[in-house]
Amino acid sequence: MIKKFIYLEWKAFTRSASFGANLAMKILIGFLMVYFSIIFIGMGIGAFYILKKMNLEPLITVNKFLIYYFLFDLVVRLLMQAIPVLNIKPLLVLPFKKPTIVHFSLGKTAISFFNWAHALFFVPFSVVLIIEGYDVIGILFWLIAAFSLVYINNFLNIILSNIDKLFVVFIAITLALGAAQYYKFFDITSFTGPLFQSFYDAKGLFLIPVLSLIGLYVFTFKYFKNNLYLDAGLSKKEDIATTENLNWLNQFGTLGTFLKNDIKLIKRNKRSKTTIFMSILFLFYGLIFFGNTHQPEIMYIFAGIFVSGGFLFVFGQFVPSWDSSYYQLMMTQNIPYRGYITSKWWLVVIATFVSTILASFYLFYGWEVYLTIVVGAIYNIGVNSHLVLLGGAFTKTPIDLSNAGGAFGDKKAFNINAMLLTLPKLLLPLGLYGLGLYLGDKTLGLLLVAGAGVLGFIFRNKVFSLIEKRYKIEKYSTISAYKQKS
């Protein structure tokens, strides 16, 4: 039976309307996996000797900070790890046993990169510990406990992605613990450090995370099995409809009509609301780079583009996929593509402008840093806004706005594929800014990047014509792709 599921998954992948794009994306993801795998292996081998050189006991020090390691891992999963799904509804009318469907779907998560990548750190680190004279049995038990916690995070991610209240509670607890640690009110590592160390010191305690993992798997299995019904878990939730006029947008004619629809879409759907949350997180992206003397200076423009372009990347990247559920209906109406594209452009521009204003707290680092963010915003408005709209013509991934509470509904509005598609949009500004730095003038670099944005804005009508033409060419293949399940 499992072989049949694997066969169906392979056919769904190869017969997809976006097979070429999916294959190219998987190849690119593969290269990134290799890159991060090398980093993890290097960390696993080097951690022991680096900590020794700092006169720290390696295993105790690692155990002290494992709580942050696993919390960060869970946060990354919640933001980026898509839940592997099957096309459940067609299978429910076929002679497949429900437990088999659930076991296979949950089993797919076990081979996720987000799980086995941790072995590239923990296994080399454990080997080095054994070579350096640590107790072999103790290290093996500690390793088993660590991997149990990794897979506990895996299933917590699945549960938290489908039970909204638990997600909110988890975020609240995490923020509270982090704030208490930062302001030195409460040091959670003084409790968790000895706990992780006990998996090595006290033989048999490793069974606690192992049994917890088994219990969590059983709970997850029962939860999804109980919701595996077309008229229950996989049905769409119906909410009380509310109306909003937004009449002040009528003065903009057709453009105003499109903008009203987009604003309502964002306000009424959880999947699109997530883009607002992610845009706010992007505002703090510059904290990684600005003020960090170890970062290459060229990365400042990289940060400036991301700080101001959060909404552009997470929302604009999926135009017109946000309208995929009714795209066929739209195409039967006399809707001008130019008006449709222009409304999306204005939405992105307004969001970029607002993000730039909100990012004014970077003035703490000086006018030069904030000027970099402003230049990044100009480039986003003049160039990247056009690139995301053009890319939308080739992004044929339907998005389910209904937010069905089904067992295997993927609610991720933010995923690694969307981030990977932003890479080409960063190479040109990095090149222009790098050219200015090479010529010895940082101001020249900023002028080159801003100049590219201004030129893009000046020639936007010409660019819109090219984008409109491409949307028309891709019209029927896009409709065909939206008929398929994502």
Side-chain angles (χ1 to χ4, degrees):
M1 190 65 69
I2 299 298
K3 282 182 63 177
K4 290 183 178 179
F5 283 143
I6 296 174
Y7 173 78
L8 291 174
E9 288 282 289
W10 174 251
K11 287 299 182 183
F13 173 68
T14 56
R15 292 176 177 177
S16 171
S18 54
F19 170 70
N22 290 341
L23 181 61
M25 189 60 64
K26 288 186 181 297
I27 293 173
L28 183 56
I29 291 174
F31 283 118
L32 284 179
M33 285 182 176
V34 172
Y35 171 75
F36 285 109
S37 297
I38 295 173
I39 291 178
F40 269 75
I41 293 173
M43 289 171 56
I45 297 174
F48 179 90
Y49 300 104
I50 292 173
L51 293 173
K52 265 295 189 187
K53 192 174 181 179
M54 297 170 63
N55 296 320
L56 297 171
E57 207 291 320
L59 184 58
I60 292 177
T61 305
V62 168
N63 283 329
K64 180 179 180 180
F65 293 100
L66 272 184
I67 181 64
Y68 294 109
Y69 180 93
F70 288 119
L71 284 175
F72 180 75
D73 170 56
L74 184 55
V75 170
V76 170
R77 289 173 185 270
L78 290 169
L79 292 176
M80 302 183 69
Q81 183 185 10
I83 306 301
V85 297
L86 285 169
N87 292 332
I88 300 296
K89 291 182 180 180
L91 297 178
L92 293 181
V93 297
L94 298 175
F96 292 123
K97 294 182 179 179
K98 290 179 182 177
T100 304
I101 297 175
V102 178
H103 279 307
F104 180 75
S105 295
L106 295 180
K108 286 177 66 179
T109 65
I111 59 175
S112 168
F113 174 77
F114 288 90
N115 290 321
W116 61 260
H118 295 281
L120 302 176
F121 169 76
F122 284 110
V123 173
F125 182 68
S126 299
V127 171
V128 173
L129 289 174
I130 292 173
I131 293 174
E132 294 294 332
Y134 284 72
D135 179 59
V136 176
I137 301 300
I139 291 299
L140 289 177
F141 286 163
W142 177 82
L143 187 61
I144 292 172
F147 267 102
S148 297
L149 291 169
V150 167
Y151 278 96
I152 284 174
N153 269 1
N154 179 72
F155 292 111
L156 278 177
N157 176 41
I158 298 173
I159 293 297
L160 292 172
S161 295
N162 287 275
I163 304 178
D164 302 326
K165 292 181 180 178
L166 285 181
F167 175 77
V168 173
V169 169
F170 170 77
I171 292 296
I173 292 174
T174 303
L175 291 176
L177 289 175
Q181 177 81 17
Y182 181 79
Y183 292 106
K184 298 181 181 179
F185 294 135
F186 173 71
D187 185 0
I188 191 175
T189 61
S190 61
F191 297 93
T192 58
L195 175 62
F196 290 123
Q197 183 67 27
S198 66
F199 295 142
Y200 169 77
D201 294 330
K203 308 300 186 290
L205 283 183
F206 78 98
L207 290 174
I208 295 176
V210 171
L211 294 176
S212 299
L213 173 61
I214 295 172
L216 186 59
Y217 181 88
V218 172
F219 173 81
T220 308
F221 172 80
K222 289 182 177 180
Y223 171 77
F224 285 126
K225 182 174 178 291
N226 292 337
N227 285 277
L228 205 61
Y229 296 95
L230 287 173
D231 57 349
L234 293 176
S235 63
K236 296 182 179 180
K237 291 182 179 179
E238 302 294 339
D239 296 324
I240 298 175
T242 58
T243 59
E244 298 171 280
N245 292 324
L246 300 174
N247 291 328
W248 60 275
L249 287 172
N250 291 338
Q251 60 185 306
F252 300 107
T254 303
L255 176 62
T257 301
F258 284 124
L259 284 174
K260 284 197 292 185
N261 290 336
D262 289 331
I263 292 172
K264 291 176 182 179
L265 179 146
I266 293 173
K267 292 180 64 177
R268 294 176 179 178
N269 299 281
K270 174 179 290 186
R271 197 173 174 96
S272 51
K273 282 181 182 177
T274 309
T275 62
I276 304 299
F277 172 71
M278 291 307 306
S279 299
I280 295 173
L281 290 184
F282 268 77
L283 289 175
F284 301 99
Y285 190 82
L287 298 176
I288 302 174
F289 297 93
F290 300 134
N292 186 347
T293 56
H294 299 289
Q295 290 289 345
E297 198 170 6
I298 194 174
M299 297 305 292
Y300 275 31
I301 194 64
F302 178 89
I305 288 174
F306 265 81
V307 167
S308 61
F311 185 83
L312 179 145
F313 291 129
V314 297
F315 181 86
Q317 195 69 68
F318 287 102
V319 173
S321 294
W322 295 109
D323 305 311
S324 60
S325 59
Y326 49 87
Y327 195 76
Q328 299 174 62
L329 175 62
M330 286 176 55
M331 293 301 100
T332 63
Q333 310 300 312
N334 187 24
I335 293 177
Y337 260 119
R338 175 61 67 92
Y340 177 78
I341 296 170
T342 303
S343 71
K344 302 294 185 184
W345 183 81
W346 272 110
L347 193 64
V348 166
V349 167
I350 293 170
T352 302
F353 180 77
V354 171
S355 297
T356 306
I357 300 299
L358 294 176
S360 58
F361 64 86
Y362 282 103
L363 285 169
F364 174 79
Y365 292 100
W367 280 100
E368 191 174 87
V369 167
Y370 187 63
L371 181 60
T372 304
I373 295 174
V374 172
V375 168
I378 294 173
Y379 184 85
N380 281 330
I381 291 173
V383 178
N384 280 345
S385 60
H386 300 145
L387 290 177
V388 294
L389 292 176
L390 179 61
F394 305 98
T395 305
K396 301 178 175 63
T397 304
I399 292 178
D400 181 15
L401 290 173
S402 64
N403 192 23
F408 296 93
D410 177 17
K411 298 180 182 178
K412 306 289 185 181
F414 178 74
N415 56 64
I416 194 169
N417 286 1
M419 287 299 298
L420 288 175
L421 287 171
T422 67
L423 292 179
K425 303 170 183 64
L426 301 173
L427 297 179
L428 179 58
L430 285 175
L432 292 173
Y433 189 66
L435 177 61
L437 294 178
Y438 177 76
L439 297 175
D441 191 343
K442 184 187 302 184
T443 304
L444 176 61
L446 292 175
L447 286 173
L448 289 173
V449 176
V454 171
L455 285 175
F457 184 79
I458 292 174
F459 293 103
R460 68 185 184 282
N461 289 329
K462 180 68 175 179
V463 175
F464 281 173
S465 297
L466 296 175
I467 296 175
E468 181 182 9
K469 182 178 180 181
R470 175 49 58 181
Y471 269 78
K472 289 180 178 179
I473 293 174
E474 300 291 332
K475 174 180 177 179
Y476 294 105
S477 61
T478 301
I479 292 175
S480 177
Y482 287 164
K483 289 180 180 179
Q484 303 184 31
K485 291 186 179 293
S486 57

